[in-house]
Amino acid sequence: MVLTGKIPRDVGNLTFLISVDLSGNNLHGNLPQEMARLRRLKFLDLSFNNFRGEIPSWLGYLYQLQVLNLENNSFTGSIPPSLSNASRLETLEISANLLQGNIPEGIGNLQNLNWLSIQDNQLTGSIPFTIFNISTIEFIAFTNNRLSGKLPNDLCNRLPILKELHLSMNKLHGHMPISLSNCSQLQILSLSVNDFDGPIQEIGRLSNLQILYLGSNHFTGIIPQEIGNLVNLVELAVEVNQITSSIPISIFNISSLQVVSLRGNNLKGSLPREIGNLTKMQVLFIRENRFTGEIPKEMRNLVELEELSLGFNSFSGSLPMEIFNISRLRIIDLSANNLSGTLPLNMGSTLPNIEELYMSDLTNIVGTILILSPIVPNLLS
């Protein structure tokens, strides 16, 4: 059953309530002032409804509150500074609303907080440095706002148990913090789509890191060799930056890698044969770089591969037949390289899942693909 309508004012008479969970309904309207009388409340989850209006300041005076979840509603206005008075808060989740203005400095006073998520709003200003003094925090998510400014160099000095840091899709700038390696428990670091610059640094000791997103920034220099120390890495994205080195050979020792996206840089050199070590790889995007040499035959070891994008490089030599035997492949992009050879006649049987095939500007390739043939039933391009 899905509840509809507004929260009745009489709910304020239930002063012995400790927990209220109304998530995932079709409730709407403002939160009634009478709820301020629920002083024993420890858990309040109103997520995934249609509540509107400003987040009421009286929420900050529910001093027993430990969990506040207002995610995915239509709350407007700013984050009330009074929330900093709810000193027992452990979870503050107000993502996916229409909030504007700055993040209040007082949020850093919530010294019991372990989950802070304010992503998918319209917040501006800088991130209060006081937040990075909350030693209990494990999860920070400010993705998809309009936040600006720099990150403090000592960001990780006081965050011993931080596991996830989500800051993508903002206007943050400056270098990667020099203290980053002190976040030794970090599992997800997401800085994509900002204006960060300078070298990629301080990541070699993040041995628990599983996801590293640095794409669409202004990082320069090289991908450091110590990235090979991230033995638990599953996804690596450094696309659309200004990296000019070759791919460090150490990357190909990370056997857990499933997604690698390095497209849109100035990476050069050849693709080493050690790429065959990445047997769990599902997505490999390295298009729009300056790679040369032959595509290694060891690609045949990537039996889990579903998306392969090598276009707009300077690969040469024979068309690698090994690619056309990876049965899981759905997308192949070999466009605008210097490859030669003949297309395999049995492509339809060896690539039963192929949906997109890009082979434009391959003037030395010969063969025929019957696009409308039932031999290749899923092909779109």
Side-chain angles (χ1 to χ4, degrees):
M1 183 179 70
V2 176
L3 299 175
T4 60
K6 298 182 179 181
I7 296 179
R9 297 184 183 276
D10 291 344
V11 74
N13 296 328
L14 305 176
T15 56
F16 285 91
L17 276 177
I18 294 176
S19 178
V20 173
D21 186 352
L22 296 173
S23 60
N25 285 292
N26 194 23
L27 299 169
H28 63 275
N30 296 352
L31 301 186
Q33 173 70 33
E34 288 76 7
M35 289 183 69
R37 298 203 295 263
L38 304 181
R39 295 302 179 97
R40 292 180 172 86
L41 209 57
K42 294 182 179 181
F43 181 96
L44 179 59
D45 189 347
L46 304 177
S47 60
F48 293 90
N49 280 285
N50 295 304
F51 292 114
R52 57 180 173 78
E54 296 189 356
I55 295 175
S57 60
W58 51 256
L59 281 169
Y61 301 104
L62 301 180
Y63 297 119
Q64 303 300 315
L65 205 57
Q66 297 174 6
V67 174
L68 175 60
N69 189 347
L70 306 178
E71 180 184 8
N72 214 305
N73 280 285
S74 298
F75 288 110
T76 55
S78 59
I79 300 171
S82 62
L83 285 181
S84 62
N85 295 318
S87 60
R88 298 193 180 188
L89 267 181
E90 298 174 4
T91 296
L92 178 57
E93 172 62 87
I94 49 178
S95 299
N97 281 284
L98 304 170
L99 300 173
Q100 298 179 329
N102 295 350
I103 300 172
E105 287 277 344
I107 294 292
N109 296 331
L110 301 176
Q111 290 297 307
N112 292 305
L113 209 58
N114 57 48
W115 180 286
L116 175 60
S117 182
I118 319 178
Q119 56 191 356
D120 298 320
N121 280 287
Q122 301 168 22
L123 299 171
T124 54
S126 58
I127 300 173
F129 285 7
T130 56
I131 288 173
F132 303 116
N133 292 328
I134 305 175
S135 61
T136 57
I137 207 157
E138 297 183 21
F139 181 97
I140 297 176
F142 298 149
T143 298
N144 192 22
N145 280 285
R146 300 169 186 172
L147 298 170
S148 57
K150 296 182 178 181
L151 299 178
N153 275 332
D154 61 349
L155 181 149
C156 286
N157 288 352
R158 301 178 186 87
L159 302 176
I161 60 173
L162 184 66
K163 294 180 179 177
E164 298 188 26
L165 180 61
H166 301 264
L167 301 177
S168 293
M169 300 177 69
N170 282 287
K171 300 178 180 179
L172 300 168
H173 65 275
H175 291 8
M176 295 179 74
I178 59 176
S179 67
L180 194 61
S181 60
N182 293 332
C183 287
S184 59
Q185 301 302 309
L186 204 60
Q187 296 174 8
I188 298 177
L189 175 61
S190 180
L191 305 179
S192 297
V193 195
N194 278 287
D195 292 316
F196 291 111
D197 57 20
I200 297 172
Q201 59 184 358
E202 304 298 328
I203 60 173
R205 293 195 300 178
L206 302 178
S207 59
N208 290 301
L209 203 63
Q210 297 174 20
I211 295 177
L212 177 60
Y213 292 155
L214 302 177
S216 297
N217 281 285
H218 307 291
F219 289 116
T220 56
I222 66 172
I223 298 175
Q225 282 285 348
E226 54 265 29
I227 201 168
N229 297 336
L230 310 183
V231 295
N232 293 303
L233 201 61
V234 176
E235 297 186 21
L236 171 65
V238 195
E239 72 273 9
V240 194
N241 278 281
Q242 300 168 29
I243 307 298
T244 56
S245 66
S246 56
I247 299 181
I249 199 75
S250 61
I251 284 182
F252 303 105
N253 294 324
I254 308 175
S255 60
S256 55
L257 271 174
Q258 296 179 16
V259 175
V260 172
S261 179
L262 304 174
R263 66 179 179 84
N265 283 285
N266 287 305
L267 293 166
K268 57 189 178 182
S270 60
L271 199 58
R273 288 185 290 180
E274 285 81 1
I275 195 170
N277 297 338
L278 305 181
T279 56
K280 296 180 181 178
M281 182 76 71
Q282 297 175 14
V283 176
L284 178 61
F285 280 2
I286 59 172
R287 61 175 282 147
E288 298 171 52
N289 281 287
R290 294 188 293 163
F291 289 112
T292 57
E294 295 188 353
I295 298 173
K297 298 183 185 301
E298 286 75 10
M299 294 280 288
R300 61 174 172 261
N301 296 340
L302 310 185
V303 294
E304 302 292 323
L305 199 62
E306 297 182 14
E307 301 181 27
L308 174 64
S309 182
L310 307 180
F312 295 88
N313 281 285
S314 297
F315 288 113
S316 58
S318 300
L319 190 68
M321 292 298 105
E322 293 78 12
I323 288 176
F324 297 97
N325 289 319
I326 303 174
S327 62
R328 289 179 178 267
L329 273 170
R330 296 184 298 105
I331 299 173
I332 299 176
D333 178 8
L334 301 174
S335 301
N337 281 288
N338 299 318
L339 300 170
S340 59
T342 304
L343 290 172
L345 295 176
N346 63 340
M347 191 186 308
S349 59
T350 60
L351 296 174
N353 298 301
I354 194 70
E355 296 174 1
E356 301 179 31
L357 179 61
Y358 301 95
M359 303 187 70
S360 61
D361 296 321
L362 294 176
T363 55
N364 295 319
I365 299 294
V366 296
T368 301
I369 301 175
L370 299 179
I371 298 294
L372 299 179
S373 168
I375 296 175
V376 195
N378 301 315
L379 196 61
L380 297 178
S381 302

